[in-house]
Amino acid sequence: MTTSGSYDFAGYQVLVVGGTRGEGHAIASSFVSCGASVTVTGTMMLRSLYDSDLSAFDYESVNLARQDSIDHLAATIDHIDVLVLAATCHLPYGLPAGEHDFIVEASRSGLLGPTFLTTRLRLKLGQSPALGGGCVVNTGAVRTWLELSHTPERAHAELVASTTRAAGNWAGLGVRVNSVARSPRPVLPRQFAPRPVASAGSRVAGGTLVRDPRSATDGAVADAVLFLASSSASRITGHTLTIT
């Protein structure tokens, strides 16, 4: 259950990349409930191919692993106030090693993936009349692109660092950049994995009770994204909210 009703996004144009399912769909639905006009993207050609109800949104197909697809999406957008990046990295099964390595390197260099799309839209975001300017919010999905070449923990650290860098680079354009991500779950050998305890959504690690990152709901992520995109956060940029 979100607190989205406390925000007013009437007149906002919002693009949620990866808004067809999961937390991306929750984010897109929350923006609509607050009066925004929302476009969601997915990898399928038609919205009817998805199980989720996408009737409240405009729909565009995009493949973030292809420059021409990103360029096509950017060309369809005349005005944008908020860009939410919630599309996880799913490379085709059986992709040749050479092409896989190319995508990994291009993504790391910012020539493919969420970073490239944000770069293509930065000038249009800079034209937003919203208080605080245009807004970019990365979600944990961006971390999956970084995990092409980093461990989960290192990818999270890079997400935090890249958010800070982008905020500094684009402040002059009037564009804010922030991130919302669930805590990365460390991958442990089975014999060292923490055993579950009776309390739901918790685990014991080294004698300390900590919350399981999987217990963070899509609604909690959506709430954080809406806050960062709202006028209440008009002076906030370069920050990463980590949800545990």
Side-chain angles (χ1 to χ4, degrees):
M1 186 66 151
T2 74
T3 58
S4 59
S6 61
Y7 299 108
D8 181 9
F9 288 102
Y12 277 62
Q13 296 288 333
V14 178
L15 174 63
V16 181
V17 182
T20 56
R21 55 170 65 95
E23 67 182 28
H25 188 267
I27 292 166
S29 298
S30 295
F31 271 112
V32 166
S33 72
C34 293
S37 297
V38 179
T39 298
V40 299
T41 76
T43 56
M44 297 185 184
M45 291 302 297
L46 302 174
R47 76 170 76 199
S48 59
L49 298 175
Y50 288 95
D51 294 332
S52 305
D53 181 9
L54 305 180
S55 59
F57 320 118
D58 289 327
Y59 176 78
E60 293 288 344
S61 176
V62 66
N63 183 346
L64 293 181
R66 294 180 51 188
Q67 277 193 353
D68 58 340
S69 182
I70 295 173
D71 286 339
H72 174 76
L73 173 64
T76 66
I77 297 171
D78 294 323
H79 173 76
I80 181 171
D81 299 296
V82 180
L83 170 63
V84 180
L85 296 164
T88 56
C89 179
H90 292 297
L91 300 184
Y93 178 76
L95 194 68
E99 188 171 350
H100 179 276
D101 291 344
F102 169 78
I103 292 175
V104 169
E105 184 58 34
S107 177
R108 181 164 47 190
S109 302
L111 300 177
L112 284 177
T115 301
F116 184 64
L117 175 60
T118 307
T119 301
R120 293 286 284 108
L121 292 175
R122 72 190 188 285
L123 295 181
K124 293 178 181 179
L125 282 161
Q127 296 170 357
S128 170
L131 182 64
C135 176
V136 178
V137 183
N138 302 304
T139 71
V142 175
R143 195 167 57 204
T144 66
W145 289 85
L146 298 170
E147 287 174 4
L148 289 173
S149 54
H150 297 85
T151 64
E153 292 77 15
R154 178 82 178 278
H156 184 78
E158 178 56 28
L159 173 63
V160 173
S162 63
T163 299
T164 302
R165 287 195 303 269
N169 291 339
W170 296 345
L173 295 174
V175 178
R176 297 186 295 116
V177 183
N178 293 291
S179 295
V180 176
R182 308 181 198 217
S183 294
R185 186 168 54 142
V187 179
L188 300 175
R190 181 174 299 176
Q191 64 268 32
F192 297 116
R195 294 183 179 181
V197 294
S199 176
S202 303
R203 67 171 184 259
V204 173
T208 303
L209 185 65
V210 296
R211 292 187 61 189
D212 189 327
R214 292 170 297 181
S215 67
T217 65
D218 292 342
V221 174
D223 281 345
V225 171
L226 263 65
F227 165 70
L228 289 173
S230 72
S231 58
S232 299
S234 61
R235 294 181 179 274
I236 297 176
T237 189
H239 292 270
T240 297
L241 301 182
T242 302
I243 298 178
T244 59

